[in-house]
Amino acid sequence: MAAQPRVVIIGAGIVGCALSDELTARGWTDVTVLEQGPLFATGGSTSHAPGLVFQTNGSKTMTEFARYTVEKYSALTLDGQWCFKQVGGLEVATSPERLAEIRRRHGWLSSWGVDSRLLTPEESAALHPLLDPERILGGFHIPSDGLAKALRAGEAQARLATARGARFHAHHTVTGIETTGDRVSAVVTDQGTFPADIVVSCAGFWGPRIGQMVGQPVPLVPMAHQYARTTELPLLAGRNDEHTEASLPILRNQDAGLYYRELVDRIGIGSYAHRPMPVSPDRVAHPSDSAMPSSLEFTEADFEGAWADSLALLPSLADTKIEEGFNGIFSFTSDGMPLMGESPKVQGFWLAEAVWVTHSAGVAKAMAEWLVDGRPGTDVHECDVNRFEEVQLAPSYVNERSCQNFAEVYDILHPLQPAERPRPLRTSPFHARQEALGAVFLEGGGWERPHWYEANADLPEVARVPGRGDWASRYWSPIAGAEALVTRERVALYDMTPLKRLEITGPEALAFLQRLTTNQLDKPVGSVTYTLLLDAAGGVRSDLTIARLETERFQIGANGNLDLDWLRRHLPDDGSVQVRDITAGTCCLGVWGPRARDLVQPLTDTDFSHKGFGYFKAKQAYLGDVPVTAMRLSYVGELGWEIYTTADLGARLWDTLWEAGQELGIIAAGRSAFNSLRLEKGYRSWGHDMTTEHNPYEAGLGFAVRRSKEHFTGKSALEGISDETVTRRLTPLVVQDEQSVVMGHEPVYVDGRPVGYVTSAAYGYTIGAPLAYAWMPAELAAPGTPVEIEYFGAKVAAVTAAEPLFDPEMSRIRR
């Protein structure tokens, strides 16, 4: 590709316009934007967007996208008119549950560095005089929120891009995308063909049509959402003119699924309080057939409840009626996150889809960084289009989960709360055995995952487990604590089947992995290594365990589909390395606890002694009748093995271990106990504790970096960085109140000011205290530093600690 690639952006909505500006500002000026409709009211979601920008989100990434959008659009004007008006945002609580929730949301923004404050009902009504303070219990104010004029902001950015050389073409309908080999080469329209080195689909709810042209699934659902405008409201008369438009804060009553904004002397009302109304991408009109394809006929019956709730919250609306309304189409995904990144099927074909106005500039900035610099400055693993497993791309799955996401968009969702349908999808070979033991399943990546087992309810250890607050008690049972204690005292089986397993083979397999990972893999067959995948800037893309099972065959324990995608993208062209996802055809049981060797050794002729089978080693063996690959690893800090076999033998493996373990007091244990045990040992969870925004030394993983290796991705970026030079650290905290089990994303305070945020948290049943890991300034991370964690608006005392908290001598693992 030339130094100045030819970029074609499909779609001139706000995302396409923002991306053209961000790219050209970085020197990529050979940019063509193709739009099937007129400029800039294209007929897509941007054309009807009400423009409310609320920055609050449990995702740090999404908050950062929104914050950048606020900053950028606040500085834009179009012909002297504003593009963003910082009127502030106000969320109100009409129930005790929502009052607690806005306190949690305040914690999120404190964690992510956005100013906000909690208000009394009277303070809320003073900010928004239309509110009835008797109807609310409190409020949450974000001064920097506001209103975006999406069409103005889009055109303003397009003008900036055009001044740098970008070209915009209206009424150009894309009819095909040409490829040469496995790479895009041109975009075909009804008005001609445009050569391209890079194609970015910013087509919004038309995105699935564009994706089909290259065989790339675009898993989004166009969904109709109600918006209405009242007649004149006397209380607003003379307050605004057509230029100022609004001065009251944008308002959300999430208990009722509603939001509000001023429209000069009227009120605009948006509602999620209606049935999901998905629209097939194939049935969305073309702009030539409809002036506003994204605007469907208003269904008045669906708005009746919303209107009644609006009258209750804003009594002065009784002096108005609904003047007009429409059902506006915009994009929903199965997990509520955007679709960003390069197609795994066709090089040079990129997506920036399912992006709302709120996040548009932030997404465009990240996309431009990704394209120009090779990586976005913000961690985007939650948004990467390659995050989905194949089963999660089924149209029926995408539709059902997206509809559920619409229904829950304003709901109070617990971090462990699983989707209800479609389930079950993926089950391990142990599923029937787990059901018989009363497993309580939650779901992740489509997998049914036992979190605890009701069969363990009578364990005497249950009585040793303290209670916890209401929020932390959801999707939890004291049985989980008993399972953790039994693991420390006897032996337990853990279903590790959902762990992504990849097989790397070929004559260049070792060299390939050496180039991509930080640790030394040139070891004898039977070695297992913990290592990292870094990006070019030294950010942690993933952590892996890699077992060398044969000279040219390696098995990787990975974190998910993004790891598979990364490895495939870096394969040599000569076919000397193959990557295969073996997860579905295999299964795994973690056998951990001080009696683990007593369980497995009688079942095999292979030496499982400490001397004969050392830590971080792998062996092929038979356990009873079952051929297994055993790896002496422990994510819970106890003696034991990860034991793998093929899926067809999974039930036999379970039965063999289960029957032999009865005299040892064996139990099955779930992920809730697992999470507690791993935090007591300080074991990291990628995507929660560290991401590409962190380097290995900040994350406490410098031990997995071998700088003596000749080369690995990210090595040069680590020059000058060490444990001694980092300015922030992932730090363990011990909470002083045993009832205060935090859940993650809470802000951490020192001397009354927020200095960091919690990543992972659990109760440490062996330690006897709630635990949390948090990102902290290095100067405050020394053990013994008193801190406070804000939890639902209250400050909870904690103290920094040395790690690992449990068995720092590693004597239990290495016995």
Side-chain angles (χ1 to χ4, degrees):
M1 187 187 300
Q4 177 67 261
R6 298 165 298 180
V7 181
V8 174
I9 297 172
I10 301 174
I14 196 165
V15 179
C17 291
L19 180 57
S20 70
D21 179 33
E22 296 287 340
L23 285 173
T24 56
R26 287 167 174 78
W28 280 21
T29 55
D30 191 352
V31 174
T32 302
V33 183
L34 302 175
E35 173 52 51
Q36 63 181 351
L39 300 174
F40 285 92
T42 65
S45 299
T46 302
S47 302
H48 67 67
L52 288 77
V53 176
F54 289 95
Q55 297 166 86
T56 310
N57 199 294
S59 163
K60 179 175 178 285
T61 295
M62 296 299 278
T63 296
E64 289 185 359
F65 285 166
R67 177 166 54 187
Y68 181 75
T69 299
V70 167
E71 293 171 357
K72 183 177 185 182
Y73 294 173
S74 294
L76 290 177
T77 59
L78 183 72
D79 299 330
Q81 296 182 301
W82 56 271
C83 293
F84 186 85
K85 191 162 193 181
Q86 213 160 50
V87 294
L90 178 62
E91 300 181 13
V92 294
T94 63
S95 66
E97 295 79 12
R98 184 67 62 176
L99 185 63
E101 172 70 357
I102 62 174
R103 291 169 180 157
R104 185 169 73 115
R105 294 167 70 80
H106 173 259
W108 291 345
L109 289 195
S110 299
S111 292
W112 314 146
V114 178
D115 180 54
S116 65
R117 62 191 180 111
L118 296 166
L119 305 178
T120 65
E122 292 72 26
E123 289 171 329
S124 301
L127 271 180
H128 201 298
L130 302 187
L131 277 171
D132 179 1
E134 299 298 320
R135 303 287 305 192
I136 63 176
L137 301 179
F140 172 43
H141 181 225
I142 308 93
S144 55
D145 284 350
L147 287 167
K149 295 293 285 187
L151 290 179
R152 286 182 198 164
E155 185 172 353
Q157 292 172 100
R159 289 186 185 182
L160 292 171
T162 301
R164 302 185 194 107
R167 300 166 296 278
F168 282 73
H169 297 284
H171 305 295
H172 278 57
T173 299
V174 174
T175 58
I177 297 174
E178 294 181 351
T179 59
T180 301
D182 58 357
R183 181 168 201 95
V184 296
S185 56
V187 177
V188 182
T189 77
D190 58 354
Q191 304 293 320
T193 298
F194 295 82
D197 302 303
I198 292 172
V199 176
V200 187
S201 178
C202 302
F205 52 74
W206 285 288
R209 292 187 188 176
I210 302 299
Q212 286 176 356
M213 296 176 185
V214 293
Q216 170 61 42
V218 181
L220 65 81
V221 175
M223 201 83 70
H225 156 62
Q226 290 201 302
Y227 185 76
R229 185 174 71 170
T230 70
T231 55
E232 294 180 14
L233 179 60
L235 282 177
L236 294 181
R239 185 181 180 96
N240 308 297
D241 58 28
E242 294 293 335
H243 177 70
T244 60
E245 193 169 309
S247 52
L248 293 177
I250 54 177
L251 176 66
R252 281 202 281 200
N253 177 14
Q254 291 179 291
D255 281 325
L258 295 166
Y259 62 80
Y260 306 90
R261 59 155 295 175
E262 275 182 292
L263 290 161
V264 187
D265 55 3
R266 292 163 167 78
I267 292 291
I269 306 171
S271 173
Y272 293 99
H274 57 79
R275 60 193 168 89
M277 294 186 277
V279 181
S280 170
D282 296 329
R283 299 187 63 184
V284 178
H286 189 277
S288 62
D289 299 322
S290 170
M292 186 70 75
S294 59
S295 179
L296 305 181
E297 184 178 355
F298 191 62
T299 51
E300 294 182 6
D302 290 304
F303 199 74
E304 290 176 356
W307 182 240
D309 287 332
S310 297
L311 292 175
L313 185 69
L314 309 173
S316 59
L317 291 185
D319 297 328
T320 73
K321 60 182 180 180
I322 297 301
E323 184 174 60
E324 61 179 347
F326 63 93
N327 291 358
I329 304 176
F330 63 143
S331 301
F332 264 81
T333 59
S334 57
D335 59 4
M337 303 298 281
L339 305 172
M340 301 169 59
E342 187 179 17
S343 166
K345 298 178 178 295
V346 179
Q347 293 182 51
F349 182 76
W350 291 71
L351 297 173
E353 300 288 16
V355 181
W356 297 359
V357 172
T358 299
H359 310 106
S360 54
V363 167
K365 175 176 180 285
M367 288 291 298
E369 292 169 338
W370 208 343
L371 288 162
V372 176
D373 303 328
R375 71 184 292 270
T378 301
D379 167 58
V380 296
H381 81 273
E382 298 168 298
C383 311
D384 194 316
V385 68
N386 298 292
R387 66 190 182 268
F388 298 108
E389 296 290 322
E390 187 174 1
V391 69
Q392 295 174 305
L393 298 175
S396 57
Y397 178 96
V398 173
N399 185 74
E400 189 156 13
R401 287 288 173 95
S402 298
C403 285
Q404 181 175 349
N405 183 27
F406 178 92
E408 295 177 344
V409 68
Y410 277 178
D411 285 1
I412 299 170
L413 300 177
H414 192 275
L416 294 177
Q417 185 171 334
E420 296 177 1
R421 298 178 62 188
R423 289 179 63 191
L425 277 178
R426 309 175 81 184
T427 58
S428 80
F430 320 125
H431 189 72
R433 308 299 192 265
Q434 294 164 344
E435 286 186 311
L437 293 172
V440 176
F441 294 99
L442 302 184
E443 186 248 23
W447 286 100
E448 295 296 315
R449 301 183 176 194
H451 273 241
W452 67 87
Y453 292 84
E454 291 295 331
N456 295 325
D458 294 332
L459 289 170
E461 288 83 0
V462 173
R464 294 162 52 188
V465 178
R468 53 176 68 183
D470 174 69
W471 185 251
S473 293
R474 300 182 191 183
Y475 305 100
W476 173 83
S477 168
I479 297 171
E483 293 173 0
L485 292 170
V486 170
T487 305
R488 294 274 188 239
E489 295 162 3
R490 300 198 295 276
V491 63
L493 295 184
Y494 288 83
D495 183 359
M496 304 301 290
T497 302
L499 175 73
K500 191 81 162 177
R501 288 175 295 285
L502 308 176
E503 184 179 76
I504 313 295
T505 56
E508 294 299 314
L510 173 61
F512 169 71
L513 291 172
Q514 286 279 71
R515 288 194 301 272
L516 291 182
T517 67
T518 60
N519 215 332
Q520 179 57 256
L521 302 179
D522 191 2
K523 300 176 181 178
V525 170
S527 299
V528 183
T529 306
Y530 177 82
T531 188
L532 307 175
L533 289 178
L534 304 184
D535 63 19
V540 181
R541 279 196 59 94
S542 190
D543 62 339
L544 312 172
T545 54
I546 302 182
R548 192 173 195 180
L549 301 181
E550 298 173 8
T551 302
E552 297 180 0
R553 181 167 72 94
F554 296 79
Q555 182 173 311
I556 296 180
N559 281 299
N561 222 45
L562 293 181
D563 295 338
L564 175 60
D565 177 67
W566 181 257
L567 294 172
R568 282 176 170 167
R569 289 182 187 278
H570 290 83
L571 285 172
D573 295 331
D574 60 6
S576 59
V577 182
Q578 295 81 43
V579 177
R580 190 164 67 98
D581 185 348
I582 61 172
T583 310
T586 55
C587 58
C588 178
L589 282 174
V591 180
W592 291 308
R595 305 209 66 183
R597 185 174 288 115
D598 298 335
L599 173 61
V600 298
Q601 187 62 81
L603 298 172
T604 182
D605 294 332
T606 302
D607 186 359
F608 271 63
S609 69
H610 179 60
K611 184 177 180 180
F613 197 155
Y615 192 52
F616 268 87
K617 299 297 181 183
K619 284 188 176 185
Q620 312 288 331
Y622 281 88
L623 293 185
D625 301 320
V626 183
V628 301
T629 298
M631 299 185 194
R632 192 169 169 197
L633 307 173
S634 178
Y635 204 53
V636 302
E638 293 293 333
L639 170 68
W641 292 265
E642 292 179 0
I643 299 178
Y644 299 88
T645 192
T646 51
D648 60 320
L649 291 170
R652 183 67 176 223
L653 174 63
W654 178 287
D655 292 344
T656 299
L657 292 165
W658 187 253
E659 291 166 11
Q662 293 307 301
E663 62 184 27
L664 303 175
I666 194 170
I667 65 165
R671 291 191 66 82
S672 185
F674 179 86
N675 192 50
S676 168
L677 295 168
R678 69 102 179 165
L679 279 178
E680 289 183 330
K681 284 297 294 179
Y683 295 148
R684 277 52 169 156
S685 174
W686 186 84
H688 297 280
D689 298 319
M690 71 280 190
T691 68
T692 54
E693 295 183 1
H694 312 105
N695 70 54
Y697 299 96
E698 295 171 327
L701 299 175
F703 66 88
V705 179
R706 291 292 179 270
R707 294 198 176 190
S708 57
K709 285 175 61 173
E710 182 177 353
H711 171 74
F712 58 83
T713 301
K715 180 182 179 181
S716 61
L718 299 181
E719 290 297 324
I721 299 174
S722 67
D723 288 327
E724 291 71 35
T725 64
V726 296
T727 58
R728 59 181 175 177
R729 296 187 191 278
L730 187 61
T731 307
L733 310 178
V734 178
V735 180
Q736 305 301 288
D737 175 11
E738 74 170 17
Q739 299 289 315
S740 297
V741 180
V742 301
M743 303 296 294
H745 296 180
E746 297 87 359
V748 178
Y749 287 75
V750 172
D751 296 330
R753 61 186 179 91
V755 297
Y757 61 91
V758 172
T759 57
S760 295
Y763 190 90
Y765 301 103
T766 320
I767 302 300
L771 310 176
Y773 268 75
W775 281 103
M776 298 275 291
E779 67 272 15
L780 298 174
T785 304
V787 303
E788 292 180 310
I789 301 172
E790 183 183 314
Y791 188 52
F792 287 94
K795 298 294 198 302
V796 178
V799 63
T800 60
E803 60 175 341
L805 294 162
F806 176 75
D807 188 28
E809 297 82 17
M810 301 286 282
S811 60
R812 297 175 72 94
I813 290 177
R814 300 181 186 276
R815 66 175 81 192

